[in-house]
Amino acid sequence: MTETIQSPARTDGQQIETIEVSKFARFKSVGITVVNLTIFFTIWELVARAEVINSLFFPRATDMFAALFNGFADGTIWPQLSHSLTNFLIGLAISAVIGIPVGLLMGASKVADLILSPYVWAMTSLPRVALIPLLILIMGFGNSMQLTIIVLSAVFPIMVNCMAGVKTVEPSLVRAGVVFGASRPQIYLKVILPYTLPFVISGVNQGIARGLVGMLIGELLGGGGNGLGFLLDRAGEQFDAPMLYATLILLAVMSVGLVQAMRWLEQRAAPWRDISRA
Amino acid sequence: MGQVEARSAPGAQHAADERPSEPALIEAAHVTAGYDNRREHTRLIALRDVSLQVRRGEFLAIVGPSGCGKTTFINLIAGFVKPLEGSVRVRGEEVTGPGADRAMVFQDYALLPWRTVERNIRFAMENRRGHVPKAEQAERAARALRLVGLTGFEKSYPHELSGGMRQRVGIARALVTEPEILLMDEPFGAVDAMTREAMQAELEKIIAETRQTVVFITHSIDEAILLADRIVVISKRPGTIREVIDVDLPRPRFDEQSDVQRSPRFGEIRSHLWSLLADEALGAKQEGATR
């Protein structure tokens, strides 16, 4: 498929070789994914048609797609999806706005770290579900309670990562900042913050994963009557297996999409990072 | 100067030629420095009663066993560390913190990885202290890059460069604000042997042009002899000055014709330094055995 061609030596002595790459190479990974998914859904369909497993738990792939299509067509899915997505994004934004500065503060100030870390670590390790009864007691069933659980899930991993980022800044970079005349605010702005950026992003990444769990918990147990969690709950109660699976697929697509977006951002934010560590 | 030689360097080969009319640029007087370990309520003394003067335009090398307080000494001049006793003065003024008159070259380069070569060099000019007007920055950066032979690499990132090239950036960054004093903490410790030799030759050329006063820490005896006007030998911890040696070899020392490394004088200084440092290494070993 590929072959190399020697190009004439350049005037500056550098030897640059051009390589010929097949036109289809670019589409190779996309192609593999398409084939892969096709096989997956085909096997699913065949297994379901063979009725080895009760169709109540395991619907046909085609039924699932039909439920997905109809759900969008008759407007049962979209309002719930948009409710979940909006809630989640607002919750994540609030978490970032609180978590990033507090985490940076904890990394920079020993006193802040000593005061806050018991609470932060307790909240980071406490299973989020345990908070639901209390939150329902305080806020009742509804949107604010769902939003709160998303924030409580996402904010602590963001905080902890930002703190770790500041604490791992290479001391010699800070010393270089001092030697070359930077004031304390300048050192924070020009050395510590850029160094911490990849940590902030991986914190947000973890915040996404935890926040999605929080979102579902809130919608499943909070009984607000909306969101993807509500769709799941109702489909389960109505023995609507195709709808149940369709919602799960939607959730998977949503989280994979968010994680991929963050990965893309991560590579943009610190292209020096993985290369220099290699 | 004479005081130092008399007290801590009885075997000095040459008395430094003193010019009392010209005051020393850097003057350390009876400096003791150390680090507190608050958890164990102990204090590690890194340097004890060190007195030393550095003349304007001098290239001073400091050699000694690992952990002898060489870096502490350079940090005292840089203003990172405050002496427990005694004083460090630059131009007669007590050092209270870092200043624009002193720049540093780090062993691990300490370049900002998210900045290009040019923006790393500009870093030295854009901060509160030692600020250079924006209009002048580009020209100065270009001049510094030309000085270290990196013209054409302005837009490269540090991770795209070799170790030697990265340290050239580090040197350019230190020189761009034209500081009086250049502090170099084992600057070539992390580059390979071939590059190291080339960098030494280049440093001699650069300093001949810019005429900085240099304090240079190194592990390498040969490097110290090839670069320095004077070599300070520091004993193992707590560091004291064992001897100050004048290197009276002609310059330029990296000239193809001069071949300083094969001159008898080079050999003499070298074997003298070796015997001094072998003492130190042996002493450390014996102490370790008795412990």
Side-chain angles (χ1 to χ4, degrees), chain A residues 63-79:
Chain A
D63 288 346
M64 186 275 292
F65 280 118
L68 198 60
F69 180 80
N70 291 329
F72 274 110
D74 64 17
T76 45
I77 289 181
W78 178 246

Side-chain angles (χ1 to χ4, degrees), chain A residues 194-274:
Chain A
Y195 190 94
T196 311
L197 194 60
F199 289 85
V200 174
I201 291 173
S202 79
V204 173
N205 243 338
Q206 286 177 31
I208 287 176
R210 300 278 216 102
L212 278 171
V213 176
M215 180 193 88
L216 274 180
I217 292 172
E219 290 169 356
L220 280 170
L221 304 179
N226 42 26
L228 289 176
F230 164 71
L231 271 188
L232 275 181
D233 204 26
R234 192 179 59 181
E237 273 173 10
Q238 295 175 346
F239 301 102
D240 187 358
M243 193 60 191
L244 198 57
Y245 277 77
T247 314
L248 286 175
I249 292 276
L250 272 180
L251 273 169
V253 170
M254 181 174 158
S255 43
V256 168
L258 284 164
V259 167
Q260 289 297 329
M262 286 311 289
R263 231 187 233 178
W264 180 84
L265 202 65
E266 204 167 9
Q267 281 164 358
R268 289 296 140 114
W272 45 273
R273 206 147 176 273
D274 46 293

